[in-house]
Amino acid sequence: MRVLGIETSCDETAAAIVDNGTTLISSVVASSVDLHAEFGGIVPEIAARSHIESINAVINKALEQINSIQTTANSPHNSKFEIRNSKENPWSSIDAIAVTNGPGLLGSLLIGVLAARTLAITKNKPLYGINHVEAHVYSNFLISPAPKFPVLALIVSGGHTQLVIFTNHFEYQLLGQTYDDAVGEAFDKAAKIIGLPYPGGPNIAKAALHGDPHKFELPKAKVDGEFNFSFSGLKTAVLRLAQTQAGGDFKMPSFDIPPLLSDQQRYDIAASFQFVAIQTLVDKTLKAYNAFKPNTVVIAGGVAANQELRDQLSAALPISINYAPMNLCTDNGAMIASLGCFKGMANLQPDDPYSLEANPNLKM
Ligand code: KG4
Ligand code: ZN
């Protein structure tokens, strides 16, 4: 089963081709992140306009790469080379289309969904609407060995922080989630406070490499529910710490702080913040592991690209974790195509290409 996956929920326009949910054939990502950096966060209108500009080229490039991969995989002396030459219509090998239809920014989602609906109708292919958060977990099915159920997933992105136990494909239970900010959002806000550019996550991680994670003691939130999270208190604690380090009090406006911090203060705040944020994630994941004894633990979503998370989690858990490469952790089309394959292979009812809607608040 070969699926074209399309993803436009936020600021990445992405398309990818995946076979049988596990084999990545091609993946193309065009990001508008640089256009948002000067505003310190995502501007929905800019994201939507960028998707319109990039979507056709991104999908075409993912499709074109089917042929180049097959031609390089087969030697010129192989008879298959003659059949799968670069002139072959790549659509002939596509069995279905999968597209993120939520959650995300409405204007962004609409572009991918409309592109996918149009292609499903004109190319006569089944269409699967895909939940972006659920799909993040499927990046882990694109590496080997494949996760073995039951799978405990820590999903950590700019919009979500949750622990989910999957007993099978499409069968899962939400164990806990954040009461307020997502952990990626906390990274982005902490970065802004200390004057690191957007996106904050990777920049905090980079700054933390030069800092002392134990220089400042930041609080770990105590929340109801064994597997729930809260990050808004930590964000406020970073603001208070940065104000003090900049020589001010709690009335100092946050935009006054960055020029008053030395590089070393910035590094130490970044490292101390990251240490506690990650420790919170690891504590809850370990608790969930002990409660459910899954066969596999996976991490998913943009924050899964964080090396400190990988190091702390591997040190805490009694089983080893197979981590997906960074480009499969942040938003991509491959995870969408992978989940689309599993839906197709399970013969789930495809969606109606004339009515599939974008839903910014789609729940798992
Ligand atoms: O999954 P994703 O690409 O988009 C959403 O679905 O939200 O996640 C984006 C989030 C951002 O908050 C970004 O700062 C964070 O992932 N992120 C990281 C790292 N790379 C991306 N956070 C911490 N460390 C990283 N290396
Ligand atoms: Zn995402």
Side-chain angles (χ1 to χ4, degrees):
M1 172 116 202
R2 172 169 289 179
V3 171
L4 163 67
I6 299 172
E7 152 65 35
T8 64
S9 66
C10 194
D11 59 340
E12 262 97 29
T13 316
I17 316 284
V18 168
D19 283 355
N20 303 322
T22 53
T23 307
L24 181 59
I25 303 298
S26 67
S27 179
V28 178
V29 180
S31 178
S32 61
V33 68
D34 293 344
L35 302 176
H36 304 282
E38 68 172 295
F39 302 98
I42 302 222
V43 183
E45 288 77 10
I46 295 179
R49 210 172 315 137
S50 301
H51 288 309
I52 295 174
E53 284 165 8
S54 312
I55 186 99
N56 287 341
V58 167
I59 293 172
N60 284 336
K61 202 162 172 200
L63 289 165
E64 274 164 24
Q65 286 178 8
I66 296 178
N67 287 324
S68 57
I69 279 163
Q70 277 160 342
T71 41
T72 45
N74 297 298
S75 90
H77 306 294
N78 185 324
S79 59
K80 275 188 187 161
F81 180 80
E82 309 299 333
I83 305 161
R84 295 210 181 260
N85 64 48
S86 60
K87 289 195 182 71
E88 184 180 338
N89 178 0
W91 280 105
S92 61
S93 70
I94 300 287
D95 297 306
I97 299 171
V99 65
T100 304
N101 69 320
L105 299 168
L106 179 60
S108 290
L109 288 166
L110 277 173
I111 312 304
V113 169
L114 286 177
R117 284 172 52 176
T118 308
L119 288 170
I121 294 165
T122 55
K123 306 292 180 188
N124 198 23
K125 306 285 177 186
L127 175 67
Y128 290 100
I130 299 287
N131 181 306
H132 177 90
V133 182
E134 184 182 352
H136 264 301
V137 174
Y138 281 76
S139 294
N140 294 286
F141 284 90
L142 292 161
I143 54 176
S144 86
K148 275 213 323 249
F149 294 107
V151 173
L152 173 66
L154 171 69
I155 307 176
V156 278
S157 72
H160 293 81
T161 305
Q162 49 194 42
L163 275 164
V164 183
I165 186 98
F166 284 73
T167 45
N168 207 334
H169 295 293
F170 329 119
E171 287 170 19
Y172 48 74
Q173 185 195 345
L174 178 66
L175 305 179
Q177 60 190 326
T178 179
Y179 280 116
D180 38 57
D181 293 349
V183 64
E185 197 179 348
F187 267 86
D188 295 336
K189 287 177 178 169
K192 203 168 179 176
I193 292 169
I194 60 174
L196 297 175
Y198 181 85
N203 287 312
I204 288 266
K206 237 183 271 166
L209 291 174
H210 310 286
D212 173 3
H214 306 293
K215 176 86 184 178
F216 305 111
E217 201 172 318
L218 290 163
K220 258 201 249 175
K222 294 200 170 42
V223 291
D224 293 342
E226 263 189 301
F227 309 120
N228 289 325
F229 303 91
S230 163
F231 289 100
S232 71
L234 177 58
K235 174 195 63 192
T236 309
V238 168
L239 175 62
R240 297 288 173 256
L241 172 63
Q243 285 166 324
T244 328
Q245 289 296 303
D249 62 15
F250 72 95
K251 288 198 207 102
M252 178 183 253
S254 56
F255 51 79
D256 278 350
I257 299 172
L260 298 169
L261 293 177
S262 69
D263 281 347
Q264 195 55 51
Q265 283 174 312
R266 230 185 297 281
Y267 299 153
D268 289 338
I269 296 173
S272 302
F273 160 80
Q274 176 176 259
F275 183 77
V276 171
I278 297 301
Q279 206 177 39
T280 307
L281 297 175
V282 171
D283 285 354
K284 299 284 164 116
T285 309
L286 181 59
K287 252 191 200 165
Y289 174 83
N290 287 329
F292 293 89
K293 290 283 172 342
N295 275 322
T296 309
V297 175
V298 301
I299 57 174
V303 183
N306 186 280
Q307 191 58 45
E308 176 73 15
L309 173 58
R310 295 171 177 222
D311 294 345
Q312 280 197 35
L313 201 57
S314 289
L317 287 174
I319 55 169
S320 65
I321 302 190
N322 201 11
Y323 295 106
M326 307 291 176
N327 60 339
L328 289 178
C329 292
T330 47
D331 290 348
N332 64 85
M335 63 189 200
I336 308 301
S338 170
L339 178 50
C341 285
F342 283 107
K343 285 192 166 186
M345 292 187 299
N347 287 319
L348 297 194
Q349 179 70 29
D351 288 294
D352 180 358
Y354 290 93
S355 65
L356 179 69
E357 283 190 24
N359 179 355
N361 301 311
L362 190 66
K363 299 274 182 283
M364 263 183 82

